[in-house]
Amino acid sequence: MSYVFQPPAPVSAPVVGRAERFPVHRIYCVGRNYEEHAKEMGYTGREPPFFFLKPADALVVVDAGSTASIPYPTLTSNFHHEIELVVAIGTGGRNIKAADAQRHIYGYAVGLDMTRRDLQGEMKKQGRPWCIGKAFDQSAPMGPITPAEQAGDIVNAAIWLQVNGSDRQRSTISKLIWNIGETIEHLSAAWELQPGDLIFTGTPEGVAAVQPGDTLAGHVEGLTPISVKVQAA
Ligand code: MN
């Protein structure tokens, strides 16, 4: 095969305890999937889950024990953190039932759905797509993937984010409005899931702005934590 220019290397993430990497296909994200976060964004009640995507190459791999750098992005003055549990799909499928979802899951990771909140808000107001607020370059830092069988009791795990050592977000995965199986059921009704798909499952309350120089430490109990530093633009 020859190309008119060199194709980019595949996007991939490290796997805990393995030399082989996890090749990334798509990045799906769930909106407003914790009640207290939905409230802080001005919404109430249980609504059907909704989804948006980030390009696979928006992923920033954060290796265990290291701090990754991300730039403060252009066009925003309200750059928000959203700590999220990421589900990594190992076996694809469509119309997957929640009860069958577990066998499609390869593993789990800690991720950040970084958001240009001001641009997202402006797009919402105008009824336009969220892409500029959500799907920008380097908007998806993520740590190593822990295989599901090594991840412990993930559905009851604590999830938290500290900025410069202070708590900003703290909740548990059990507070997901649409749990992991239900999320996969809804998502796979709309798209055929493929091996390599990542699902950012939504963020709990406490989202807020970060500034250049801030260091974010993201945790989900049982998974490899991530550390990310925001650089000046
Ligand atoms: Mn999010």
Side-chain angles (χ1 to χ4, degrees):
M1 184 83 70
S2 63
Y3 298 95
V4 296
F5 55 83
Q6 190 63 34
V11 176
S12 67
V15 176
V16 173
R18 291 191 66 160
E20 299 87 356
R21 294 175 69 87
F22 180 92
V24 175
H25 179 243
R26 291 181 183 163
I27 303 175
Y28 294 100
C29 303
V30 187
R32 298 196 287 267
N33 204 14
Y34 289 81
E35 187 176 355
E36 294 304 316
H37 172 62
K39 284 182 186 165
E40 75 182 350
M41 299 303 287
Y43 302 87
T44 54
R46 195 185 207 221
E47 53 180 350
F50 67 94
F51 305 100
F52 57 93
L53 288 96
K54 294 180 186 249
D57 69 356
L59 194 78
V60 176
V61 169
V62 185
D63 289 309
S66 71
T67 297
S69 288
I70 58 170
Y72 194 95
T74 59
L75 304 180
T76 186
S77 55
N78 197 15
F79 184 37
H80 272 207
H81 54 73
E82 294 191 359
I83 183 72
E84 308 203 1
L85 170 70
V86 182
V87 176
I89 297 294
T91 302
R94 54 162 63 107
N95 294 319
I96 298 164
K97 292 297 163 205
D100 298 329
Q102 193 60 43
R103 69 177 188 87
H104 294 267
I105 298 172
Y106 179 80
Y108 304 98
V110 179
L112 285 165
D113 167 15
M114 298 303 294
T115 301
R116 287 159 157 162
R117 191 72 71 199
D118 42 2
L119 295 182
Q120 183 200 22
E122 190 57 34
M123 294 299 108
K124 278 184 191 174
K125 206 183 310 172
Q126 297 182 27
R128 291 179 177 172
W130 287 9
C131 308
I132 201 168
K134 285 289 196 181
F136 53 94
D137 296 341
Q138 294 170 276
S139 60
M142 188 187 78
I145 295 169
T146 297
E149 62 275 12
Q150 297 165 35
D153 185 17
I154 203 74
V155 300
N156 292 304
I159 179 170
W160 71 101
L161 176 83
Q162 296 181 321
V163 176
N164 304 327
S166 297
D167 265 25
R168 286 280 189 88
Q169 295 184 265
R170 185 172 287 272
S171 189
T172 77
I173 303 302
S174 63
K175 291 188 174 174
L176 281 170
I177 295 173
W178 298 95
N179 68 29
I180 295 165
E182 292 167 335
T183 295
I184 289 173
E185 178 168 328
H186 280 92
L187 190 58
S188 68
W191 288 273
E192 181 176 356
L193 292 182
Q194 302 289 340
D197 286 337
L198 299 175
I199 307 168
F200 280 60
T201 54
T203 197
E205 67 275 19
V207 300
V210 294
Q211 306 299 333
D214 284 350
T215 299
L216 292 70
H219 299 258
V220 173
E221 198 179 355
L223 307 181
T224 306
I226 63 171
S227 176
V228 173
K229 184 170 175 129
V230 180
Q231 303 288 351

